């Protein structure tokens, strides 16, 4: 069962949250309290809540797992006049935890969602009992990185005639693809919508660039060091986060742990869902009760 839940984000922006399974029954995963521990899943830039469907269904066996479509993404509002700052993304996630009664929650974030998660954990430790960071760097990426993204968006051959063309371009033909990846093609097919002239992204590329602009020029090590809850840093062997930086992140974190998934790129949970679950499960099992 998939259940949509409405959340009011920062500044009144309407957000869509999704629960991909029934909440566990009292006396089952919920234990003596009758309340299953909450998990909030935060997708990365250009992602959407449905990218977490497999993870959410697995987590729902023992948790109340909710995935949030962040502002500008998925089925959430995409106002052109609203801010897309780090502060607003964090405030939106806080609103989801508080309005849905998830706290203290485990936060699971991919890429931009991971940055949102650790910034939230640093600012509101009362709302977070555990954190999973999936393939997100703490170092500044710089202006050159932003220019590369601008050029990449310009290279998209939109509109795509069919979803098959979407899958082929992002899975094989995209110059950023080092080796064919069916999972990458499927990932991007999921963020396309059909229009009269073909398939286009559900988000505004210009809005995505403005969102990314708010974090790429800064390093985020200080906020990482302020995260006091147990934290797992997960990287794909061929992902954006290098091993040396990931291990330094673990060292900086007061309660950091490390996991690596082989045969996975940046989209770790999408590339290798079984190995991803195997990496995260022991961490969740070891968390203290909320």
């Amino acid at each position: 069962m998939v259940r949509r839940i409405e959340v009011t984000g920062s500044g009144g922006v309407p957000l869509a949250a999704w629960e991909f399974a029934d909440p566990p029954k009292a006396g089952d995963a919920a234990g003596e309290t009758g309340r299953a521990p909450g998990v909030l899943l935060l997708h990365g830039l250009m992602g959407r809540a449905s990218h977490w469907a497999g993870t959410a269904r697995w987590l729902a066996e023992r948790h109340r797992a909710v995935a949030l479509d962040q502002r500008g993404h998925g089925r959430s509002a995409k106002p052109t006049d609203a801010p897309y700052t780090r502060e607003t993304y964090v405030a939106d996630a806080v609103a989801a935890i508080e309005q849905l009664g998830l706290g203290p929650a485990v936060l699971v974030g991919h890429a931009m969602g991971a940055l949102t998660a650790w910034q939230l954990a640093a600012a509101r430790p009362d709302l977070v009992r555990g954190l999973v960071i999936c393939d997100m760097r703490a170092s500044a990426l710089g202006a050159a990185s932003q220019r590369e993204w601008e050029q990449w968006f310009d290279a998209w051959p939109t509109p795509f005639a069919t979803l098959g063309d979407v899958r082929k371009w992002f899975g094989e033909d995209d110059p950023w693809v080092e080796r064919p990846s069916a999972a990458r093609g499927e990932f991007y097919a999921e963020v396309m919508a059909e229009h009269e002239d073909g398939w286009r992204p559900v988000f505004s590329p210009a809005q995505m660039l403005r969102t990314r602009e708010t974090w790429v020029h800064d390093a985020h090590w200080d906020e990482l060091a302020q995260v006091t809850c147990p934290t797992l840093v997960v990287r794909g062997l061929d992902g954006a986060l290098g091993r040396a930086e990931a291990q330094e992140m673990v060292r900086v974190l007061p309660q950091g742990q490390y996991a690596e998934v082989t045969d996975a790129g940046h989209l770790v949970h999408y590339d290798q869902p079984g190995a991803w679950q195997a990496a995260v499960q022991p961490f969740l099992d070891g968390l203290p009760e909320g």
Side-chain angles (χ1 to χ4, degrees), residues 216-255:
V216 294
H217 302 290
D218 301 315
H220 305 282
W221 294 99
D222 289 346
E223 292 156 304
L224 197 68
Q226 295 168 24
V227 175
T228 57
C229 66
T231 302
L232 177 67
V233 177
V234 185
R235 66 177 291 268
L237 191 62
D238 298 318
L241 176 62
R243 180 178 291 149
E245 183 171 352
Q247 292 178 344
E248 179 63 12
M249 290 169 67
V250 171
R251 188 192 68 79
V252 167
L253 284 157
Q255 296 193 67

Side-chain angles (χ1 to χ4, degrees), residues 37-41 59 63-67 102 105-108 284:
V39 177
L40 182 66
L41 299 125
L59 289 171
H63 303 80
R64 185 183 177 206
V66 175
L102 295 174
V106 175
L107 302 183
V108 181
L284 296 177

Side-chain angles (χ1 to χ4, degrees), residues 23-277:
K25 296 179 176 62
D28 190 1
E32 296 180 0
T33 64
R35 178 177 176 271
V39 177
L40 182 66
L41 299 125
L42 299 170
H43 60 73
L45 189 71
M46 301 181 294
R48 65 186 307 169
S50 59
H51 283 141
W52 288 118
T55 295
R57 291 189 175 108
W58 156 61
L59 289 171
E61 297 173 6
R62 298 171 59 185
H63 303 80
R64 185 183 177 206
V66 175
L68 180 68
D69 271 336
Q70 296 171 81
R71 63 175 57 207
H73 297 76
R75 296 291 183 86
S76 287
K78 305 168 181 64
T80 58
D81 57 347
Y84 287 82
T85 63
R86 288 284 78 227
E87 292 77 12
T88 53
Y89 276 99
V90 171
D92 287 346
V94 168
I97 293 172
E98 293 182 336
Q99 292 172 32
L100 302 180
L102 295 174
V106 175
L107 302 183
V108 181
H110 174 245
M112 178 193 78
L115 177 58
T116 300
W118 89 59
Q119 289 178 326
L120 192 163
R124 291 293 306 272
D126 57 306
L127 293 180
V128 185
R129 71 183 188 93
L131 172 63
V132 179
I133 295 171
C134 180
D135 214 64
M136 180 60 186
R137 300 183 61 185
S139 299
L141 302 179
S145 171
Q146 190 70 357
R147 287 193 297 272
E148 289 174 359
W149 273 68
E150 292 170 359
Q151 294 165 3
W152 179 57
F153 276 128
D154 287 341
W156 289 19
T158 50
F160 294 92
T162 69
L163 277 180
D165 292 327
V166 173
R167 295 185 181 98
K168 185 175 187 302
W169 197 82
F170 287 101
E172 301 177 23
D173 300 337
D174 181 351
W176 281 16
V177 173
E178 295 184 357
R179 58 182 179 178
S181 171
R184 191 174 188 270
E186 291 295 339
F187 183 94
Y188 282 97
E190 202 159 336
V191 294
M192 296 290 161
E194 189 172 18
H195 297 261
E196 289 185 2
D197 61 348
W199 293 82
R200 296 179 180 274
V202 298
F203 50 79
S204 160
Q207 212 167 58
M208 296 298 100
L209 286 171
R210 288 197 300 272
T211 295
R212 192 174 185 272
E213 185 78 32
T214 66
W215 86 73
V216 294
H217 302 290
D218 301 315
H220 305 282
W221 294 99
D222 289 346
E223 292 156 304
L224 197 68
Q226 295 168 24
V227 175
T228 57
C229 66
T231 302
L232 177 67
V233 177
V234 185
R235 66 177 291 268
L237 191 62
D238 298 318
L241 176 62
R243 180 178 291 149
E245 183 171 352
Q247 292 178 344
E248 179 63 12
M249 290 169 67
V250 171
R251 188 192 68 79
V252 167
L253 284 157
Q255 296 193 67
Q257 301 178 38
Y258 177 74
E260 189 171 279
V261 178
T262 57
D263 297 322
H266 179 57
L267 307 174
V268 182
H269 57 297
Y270 226 73
D271 285 346
Q272 298 291 337
W276 156 255
Q277 292 177 20

